[in-house]
PDB file of all heavy atoms in Angstrom:
ATOM      1  N   ALA T 132      95.293  89.931  98.524  1.00  0.00           N
ATOM      2  CA  ALA T 132      94.408  89.900  97.357  1.00  0.00           C
ATOM      3  C   ALA T 132      94.127  91.342  96.929  1.00  0.00           C
ATOM      4  O   ALA T 132      93.683  92.158  97.740  1.00  0.00           O
ATOM      5  CB  ALA T 132      93.098  89.191  97.682  1.00  0.00           C
ATOM      6  N   LEU T 133      94.393  91.653  95.667  1.00  0.00           N
ATOM      7  CA  LEU T 133      94.121  92.994  95.146  1.00  0.00           C
ATOM      8  C   LEU T 133      92.616  93.219  95.158  1.00  0.00           C
ATOM      9  O   LEU T 133      91.865  92.483  94.528  1.00  0.00           O
ATOM     10  CB  LEU T 133      94.662  93.136  93.727  1.00  0.00           C
ATOM     11  CG  LEU T 133      94.436  94.485  93.053  1.00  0.00           C
ATOM     12  CD1 LEU T 133      95.222  95.579  93.748  1.00  0.00           C
ATOM     13  CD2 LEU T 133      94.825  94.410  91.585  1.00  0.00           C
ATOM     14  N   VAL T 134      92.168  94.207  95.914  1.00  0.00           N
ATOM     15  CA  VAL T 134      90.726  94.443  95.999  1.00  0.00           C
ATOM     16  C   VAL T 134      90.296  95.736  95.319  1.00  0.00           C
ATOM     17  O   VAL T 134      89.179  95.838  94.850  1.00  0.00           O
ATOM     18  CB  VAL T 134      90.220  94.426  97.465  1.00  0.00           C
ATOM     19  CG1 VAL T 134      90.369  93.046  98.066  1.00  0.00           C
ATOM     20  CG2 VAL T 134      90.918  95.449  98.307  1.00  0.00           C
ATOM     21  N   VAL T 135      91.184  96.709  95.282  1.00  0.00           N
ATOM     22  CA  VAL T 135      90.871  97.964  94.601  1.00  0.00           C
ATOM     23  C   VAL T 135      92.073  98.312  93.731  1.00  0.00           C
ATOM     24  O   VAL T 135      93.149  98.586  94.240  1.00  0.00           O
ATOM     25  CB  VAL T 135      90.580  99.115  95.593  1.00  0.00           C
ATOM     26  CG1 VAL T 135      90.222 100.391  94.835  1.00  0.00           C
ATOM     27  CG2 VAL T 135      89.469  98.740  96.557  1.00  0.00           C
ATOM     28  N   GLU T 136      91.866  98.246  92.428  1.00  0.00           N
ATOM     29  CA  GLU T 136      92.976  98.508  91.514  1.00  0.00           C
ATOM     30  C   GLU T 136      93.328  99.990  91.472  1.00  0.00           C
ATOM     31  O   GLU T 136      94.492 100.352  91.353  1.00  0.00           O
ATOM     32  CB  GLU T 136      92.635  98.004  90.114  1.00  0.00           C
ATOM     33  CG  GLU T 136      93.832  97.956  89.209  1.00  0.00           C
ATOM     34  CD  GLU T 136      93.544  97.207  87.921  1.00  0.00           C
ATOM     35  OE1 GLU T 136      92.608  96.391  87.885  1.00  0.00           O
ATOM     36  OE2 GLU T 136      94.255  97.461  86.946  1.00  0.00           O
ATOM     37  N   GLN T 137      92.332 100.850  91.597  1.00  0.00           N
ATOM     38  CA  GLN T 137      92.587 102.284  91.522  1.00  0.00           C
ATOM     39  C   GLN T 137      91.877 103.004  92.667  1.00  0.00           C
ATOM     40  O   GLN T 137      90.863 103.672  92.461  1.00  0.00           O
ATOM     41  CB  GLN T 137      92.158 102.828  90.171  1.00  0.00           C
ATOM     42  CG  GLN T 137      92.965 102.247  89.035  1.00  0.00           C
ATOM     43  CD  GLN T 137      92.917 103.123  87.805  1.00  0.00           C
ATOM     44  OE1 GLN T 137      92.209 104.109  87.739  1.00  0.00           O
ATOM     45  NE2 GLN T 137      93.699 102.769  86.829  1.00  0.00           N
ATOM     46  N   ALA T 138      92.421 102.875  93.860  1.00  0.00           N
ATOM     47  CA  ALA T 138      91.880 103.582  95.018  1.00  0.00           C
ATOM     48  C   ALA T 138      92.342 105.036  94.970  1.00  0.00           C
ATOM     49  O   ALA T 138      93.477 105.319  94.610  1.00  0.00           O
ATOM     50  CB  ALA T 138      92.358 102.919  96.309  1.00  0.00           C
ATOM     51  N   SER T 139      91.479 105.931  95.338  1.00  0.00           N
ATOM     52  CA  SER T 139      91.823 107.351  95.329  1.00  0.00           C
ATOM     53  C   SER T 139      92.666 107.691  96.557  1.00  0.00           C
ATOM     54  O   SER T 139      92.398 107.214  97.659  1.00  0.00           O
ATOM     55  CB  SER T 139      90.552 108.204  95.355  1.00  0.00           C
ATOM     56  OG  SER T 139      90.888 109.566  95.538  1.00  0.00           O
ATOM     57  N   VAL T 140      93.669 108.524  96.351  1.00  0.00           N
ATOM     58  CA  VAL T 140      94.481 108.988  97.476  1.00  0.00           C
ATOM     59  C   VAL T 140      93.717 110.027  98.298  1.00  0.00           C
ATOM     60  O   VAL T 140      94.199 110.475  99.329  1.00  0.00           O
ATOM     61  CB  VAL T 140      95.845 109.562  97.010  1.00  0.00           C
ATOM     62  CG1 VAL T 140      96.699 108.472  96.368  1.00  0.00           C
ATOM     63  CG2 VAL T 140      95.649 110.733  96.052  1.00  0.00           C
ATOM     64  N   LYS T 141      92.524 110.390  97.848  1.00  0.00           N
ATOM     65  CA  LYS T 141      91.693 111.346  98.580  1.00  0.00           C
ATOM     66  C   LYS T 141      90.738 110.657  99.552  1.00  0.00           C
ATOM     67  O   LYS T 141      89.973 111.318 100.238  1.00  0.00           O
ATOM     68  CB  LYS T 141      90.891 112.213  97.609  1.00  0.00           C
ATOM     69  CG  LYS T 141      91.751 113.144  96.789  1.00  0.00           C
ATOM     70  CD  LYS T 141      90.892 114.043  95.942  1.00  0.00           C
ATOM     71  CE  LYS T 141      91.740 115.065  95.213  1.00  0.00           C
ATOM     72  NZ  LYS T 141      90.914 116.022  94.480  1.00  0.00           N
ATOM     73  N   HIS T 142      90.748 109.306  99.580  1.00  0.00           N
ATOM     74  CA  HIS T 142      89.868 108.548 100.460  1.00  0.00           C
ATOM     75  C   HIS T 142      90.686 107.694 101.415  1.00  0.00           C
ATOM     76  O   HIS T 142      91.789 107.267 101.086  1.00  0.00           O
ATOM     77  CB  HIS T 142      88.933 107.648  99.642  1.00  0.00           C
ATOM     78  CG  HIS T 142      87.990 108.413  98.784  1.00  0.00           C
ATOM     79  ND1 HIS T 142      87.969 108.280  97.420  1.00  0.00           N
ATOM     80  CD2 HIS T 142      87.053 109.330  99.095  1.00  0.00           C
ATOM     81  CE1 HIS T 142      87.045 109.094  96.919  1.00  0.00           C
ATOM     82  NE2 HIS T 142      86.479 109.740  97.913  1.00  0.00           N
ATOM     83  N   THR T 143      90.126 107.401 102.558  1.00  0.00           N
ATOM     84  CA  THR T 143      90.814 106.527 103.505  1.00  0.00           C
ATOM     85  C   THR T 143      90.774 105.088 103.005  1.00  0.00           C
ATOM     86  O   THR T 143      89.975 104.745 102.128  1.00  0.00           O
ATOM     87  CB  THR T 143      90.154 106.582 104.900  1.00  0.00           C
ATOM     88  OG1 THR T 143      88.833 106.058 104.808  1.00  0.00           O
ATOM     89  CG2 THR T 143      90.155 107.996 105.463  1.00  0.00           C
ATOM     90  N   ILE T 144      91.619 104.271 103.593  1.00  0.00           N
ATOM     91  CA  ILE T 144      91.626 102.846 103.260  1.00  0.00           C
ATOM     92  C   ILE T 144      90.256 102.249 103.558  1.00  0.00           C
ATOM     93  O   ILE T 144      89.717 101.480 102.757  1.00  0.00           O
ATOM     94  CB  ILE T 144      92.733 102.121 104.044  1.00  0.00           C
ATOM     95  CG1 ILE T 144      94.111 102.566 103.533  1.00  0.00           C
ATOM     96  CG2 ILE T 144      92.574 100.604 103.960  1.00  0.00           C
ATOM     97  CD1 ILE T 144      95.275 102.083 104.364  1.00  0.00           C
ATOM     98  N   LEU T 145      89.671 102.615 104.682  1.00  0.00           N
ATOM     99  CA  LEU T 145      88.353 102.089 105.040  1.00  0.00           C
ATOM    100  C   LEU T 145      87.299 102.474 104.005  1.00  0.00           C
ATOM    101  O   LEU T 145      86.534 101.631 103.547  1.00  0.00           O
ATOM    102  CB  LEU T 145      87.931 102.573 106.427  1.00  0.00           C
ATOM    103  CG  LEU T 145      86.538 102.128 106.877  1.00  0.00           C
ATOM    104  CD1 LEU T 145      86.445 100.615 106.963  1.00  0.00           C
ATOM    105  CD2 LEU T 145      86.172 102.779 108.195  1.00  0.00           C
ATOM    106  N   THR T 146      87.254 103.732 103.614  1.00  0.00           N
ATOM    107  CA  THR T 146      86.278 104.204 102.633  1.00  0.00           C
ATOM    108  C   THR T 146      86.427 103.455 101.309  1.00  0.00           C
ATOM    109  O   THR T 146      85.437 103.022 100.721  1.00  0.00           O
ATOM    110  CB  THR T 146      86.426 105.721 102.408  1.00  0.00           C
ATOM    111  OG1 THR T 146      86.256 106.388 103.644  1.00  0.00           O
ATOM    112  CG2 THR T 146      85.419 106.236 101.412  1.00  0.00           C
ATOM    113  N   SER T 147      87.656 103.271 100.863  1.00  0.00           N
ATOM    114  CA  SER T 147      87.900 102.553  99.607  1.00  0.00           C
ATOM    115  C   SER T 147      87.480 101.092  99.711  1.00  0.00           C
ATOM    116  O   SER T 147      86.885 100.546  98.780  1.00  0.00           O
ATOM    117  CB  SER T 147      89.380 102.635  99.226  1.00  0.00           C
ATOM    118  OG  SER T 147      89.724 103.973  98.920  1.00  0.00           O
ATOM    119  N   ALA T 148      87.768 100.461 100.843  1.00  0.00           N
ATOM    120  CA  ALA T 148      87.389  99.054 101.032  1.00  0.00           C
ATOM    121  C   ALA T 148      85.869  98.902 101.060  1.00  0.00           C
ATOM    122  O   ALA T 148      85.319  98.005 100.413  1.00  0.00           O
ATOM    123  CB  ALA T 148      88.007  98.507 102.312  1.00  0.00           C
ATOM    124  N   LEU T 149      85.190  99.768 101.788  1.00  0.00           N
ATOM    125  CA  LEU T 149      83.735  99.692 101.860  1.00  0.00           C
ATOM    126  C   LEU T 149      83.092  99.960 100.497  1.00  0.00           C
ATOM    127  O   LEU T 149      82.108  99.320 100.131  1.00  0.00           O
ATOM    128  CB  LEU T 149      83.192 100.660 102.911  1.00  0.00           C
ATOM    129  CG  LEU T 149      83.577 100.349 104.368  1.00  0.00           C
ATOM    130  CD1 LEU T 149      83.069 101.444 105.292  1.00  0.00           C
ATOM    131  CD2 LEU T 149      83.075  98.984 104.786  1.00  0.00           C
ATOM    132  N   ALA T 150      83.663 100.893  99.731  1.00  0.00           N
ATOM    133  CA  ALA T 150      83.148 101.189  98.392  1.00  0.00           C
ATOM    134  C   ALA T 150      83.306  99.994  97.451  1.00  0.00           C
ATOM    135  O   ALA T 150      82.535  99.836  96.505  1.00  0.00           O
ATOM    136  CB  ALA T 150      83.847 102.411  97.809  1.00  0.00           C
ATOM    137  N   ALA T 151      84.304  99.135  97.748  1.00  0.00           N
ATOM    138  CA  ALA T 151      84.528  97.927  96.939  1.00  0.00           C
ATOM    139  C   ALA T 151      83.756  96.734  97.508  1.00  0.00           C
ATOM    140  O   ALA T 151      84.014  95.593  97.131  1.00  0.00           O
ATOM    141  CB  ALA T 151      86.021  97.615  96.886  1.00  0.00           C
ATOM    142  N   ASN T 152      82.812  97.013  98.412  1.00  0.00           N
ATOM    143  CA  ASN T 152      81.973  95.982  99.033  1.00  0.00           C
ATOM    144  C   ASN T 152      82.758  94.963  99.848  1.00  0.00           C
ATOM    145  O   ASN T 152      82.375  93.801  99.933  1.00  0.00           O
ATOM    146  CB  ASN T 152      81.103  95.275  97.988  1.00  0.00           C
ATOM    147  CG  ASN T 152      80.088  96.215  97.390  1.00  0.00           C
ATOM    148  OD1 ASN T 152      79.472  97.008  98.095  1.00  0.00           O
ATOM    149  ND2 ASN T 152      79.925  96.148  96.082  1.00  0.00           N
ATOM    150  N   ILE T 153      83.857  95.400 100.456  1.00  0.00           N
ATOM    151  CA  ILE T 153      84.626  94.556 101.363  1.00  0.00           C
ATOM    152  C   ILE T 153      84.026  94.725 102.756  1.00  0.00           C
ATOM    153  O   ILE T 153      83.831  95.850 103.220  1.00  0.00           O
ATOM    154  CB  ILE T 153      86.120  94.974 101.390  1.00  0.00           C
ATOM    155  CG1 ILE T 153      86.722  94.924  99.990  1.00  0.00           C
ATOM    156  CG2 ILE T 153      86.903  94.123 102.384  1.00  0.00           C
ATOM    157  CD1 ILE T 153      86.718  93.565  99.338  1.00  0.00           C
ATOM    158  N   ALA T 154      83.725  93.624 103.405  1.00  0.00           N
ATOM    159  CA  ALA T 154      83.171  93.667 104.770  1.00  0.00           C
ATOM    160  C   ALA T 154      84.316  93.931 105.740  1.00  0.00           C
ATOM    161  O   ALA T 154      84.831  93.043 106.397  1.00  0.00           O
ATOM    162  CB  ALA T 154      82.476  92.357 105.097  1.00  0.00           C
ATOM    163  N   PHE T 155      84.729  95.189 105.793  1.00  0.00           N
ATOM    164  CA  PHE T 155      85.878  95.613 106.593  1.00  0.00           C
ATOM    165  C   PHE T 155      85.390  95.960 107.998  1.00  0.00           C
ATOM    166  O   PHE T 155      84.414  96.695 108.151  1.00  0.00           O
ATOM    167  CB  PHE T 155      86.526  96.852 105.956  1.00  0.00           C
ATOM    168  CG  PHE T 155      87.961  97.055 106.324  1.00  0.00           C
ATOM    169  CD1 PHE T 155      88.964  96.717 105.437  1.00  0.00           C
ATOM    170  CD2 PHE T 155      88.312  97.583 107.557  1.00  0.00           C
ATOM    171  CE1 PHE T 155      90.296  96.914 105.766  1.00  0.00           C
ATOM    172  CE2 PHE T 155      89.639  97.778 107.892  1.00  0.00           C
ATOM    173  CZ  PHE T 155      90.638  97.442 106.994  1.00  0.00           C
ATOM    174  N   PRO T 156      86.042  95.443 109.045  1.00  0.00           N
ATOM    175  CA  PRO T 156      85.594  95.767 110.398  1.00  0.00           C
ATOM    176  C   PRO T 156      85.730  97.266 110.679  1.00  0.00           C
ATOM    177  O   PRO T 156      86.758  97.862 110.380  1.00  0.00           O
ATOM    178  CB  PRO T 156      86.522  94.947 111.296  1.00  0.00           C
ATOM    179  CG  PRO T 156      87.673  94.546 110.457  1.00  0.00           C
ATOM    180  CD  PRO T 156      87.215  94.580 109.027  1.00  0.00           C
ATOM    181  N   HIS T 157      84.672  97.854 111.205  1.00  0.00           N
ATOM    182  CA  HIS T 157      84.692  99.274 111.553  1.00  0.00           C
ATOM    183  C   HIS T 157      83.521  99.576 112.472  1.00  0.00           C
ATOM    184  O   HIS T 157      82.597  98.781 112.604  1.00  0.00           O
ATOM    185  CB  HIS T 157      84.634 100.151 110.302  1.00  0.00           C
ATOM    186  CG  HIS T 157      83.327 100.088 109.581  1.00  0.00           C
ATOM    187  ND1 HIS T 157      82.956  99.006 108.799  1.00  0.00           N
ATOM    188  CD2 HIS T 157      82.282 100.948 109.531  1.00  0.00           C
ATOM    189  CE1 HIS T 157      81.755  99.224 108.292  1.00  0.00           C
ATOM    190  NE2 HIS T 157      81.311 100.399 108.725  1.00  0.00           N
ATOM    191  N   HIS T 158      83.569 100.720 113.087  1.00  0.00           N
ATOM    192  CA  HIS T 158      82.453 101.147 113.930  1.00  0.00           C
ATOM    193  C   HIS T 158      82.312 102.671 113.874  1.00  0.00           C
ATOM    194  O   HIS T 158      81.419 103.174 113.225  1.00  0.00           O
ATOM    195  CB  HIS T 158      82.625 100.654 115.361  1.00  0.00           C
ATOM    196  CG  HIS T 158      81.443 100.953 116.234  1.00  0.00           C
ATOM    197  ND1 HIS T 158      80.199 100.399 116.024  1.00  0.00           N
ATOM    198  CD2 HIS T 158      81.322 101.770 117.305  1.00  0.00           C
ATOM    199  CE1 HIS T 158      79.361 100.859 116.933  1.00  0.00           C
ATOM    200  NE2 HIS T 158      80.011 101.687 117.711  1.00  0.00           N
ATOM    201  N   CYS T 159      83.220 103.394 114.531  1.00  0.00           N
ATOM    202  CA  CYS T 159      83.039 104.846 114.684  1.00  0.00           C
ATOM    203  C   CYS T 159      83.427 105.653 113.449  1.00  0.00           C
ATOM    204  O   CYS T 159      82.881 106.709 113.205  1.00  0.00           O
ATOM    205  CB  CYS T 159      83.832 105.345 115.884  1.00  0.00           C
ATOM    206  SG  CYS T 159      85.625 105.387 115.625  1.00  0.00           S
ATOM    207  N   GLN T 160      84.396 105.203 112.681  1.00  0.00           N
ATOM    208  CA  GLN T 160      84.939 105.871 111.492  1.00  0.00           C
ATOM    209  C   GLN T 160      85.632 107.198 111.779  1.00  0.00           C
ATOM    210  O   GLN T 160      85.865 107.992 110.867  1.00  0.00           O
ATOM    211  CB  GLN T 160      83.862 106.038 110.420  1.00  0.00           C
ATOM    212  CG  GLN T 160      83.319 104.715 109.927  1.00  0.00           C
ATOM    213  CD  GLN T 160      82.415 104.863 108.729  1.00  0.00           C
ATOM    214  OE1 GLN T 160      82.555 105.775 107.934  1.00  0.00           O
ATOM    215  NE2 GLN T 160      81.476 103.944 108.590  1.00  0.00           N
TER     216      GLN T 160
END
């Protein structure tokens, strides 16, 4: 499912997912 149409290449996948309000599993980052 397309969740971020224009993710920045300057951010990690996790950062982009969290910014799109995706409940992405993470802890330490």
Side-chain angles (χ1 to χ4, degrees):
L133 179 67
V134 294
V135 182
E136 193 169 338
Q137 296 201 354
S139 172
V140 295
K141 293 185 175 185
H142 296 120
T143 65
I144 291 171
L145 178 62
T146 302
S147 294
L149 294 175
N152 294 318
I153 303 299
F155 203 102
H157 68 285
H158 186 65
C159 73
Q160 298 189 29

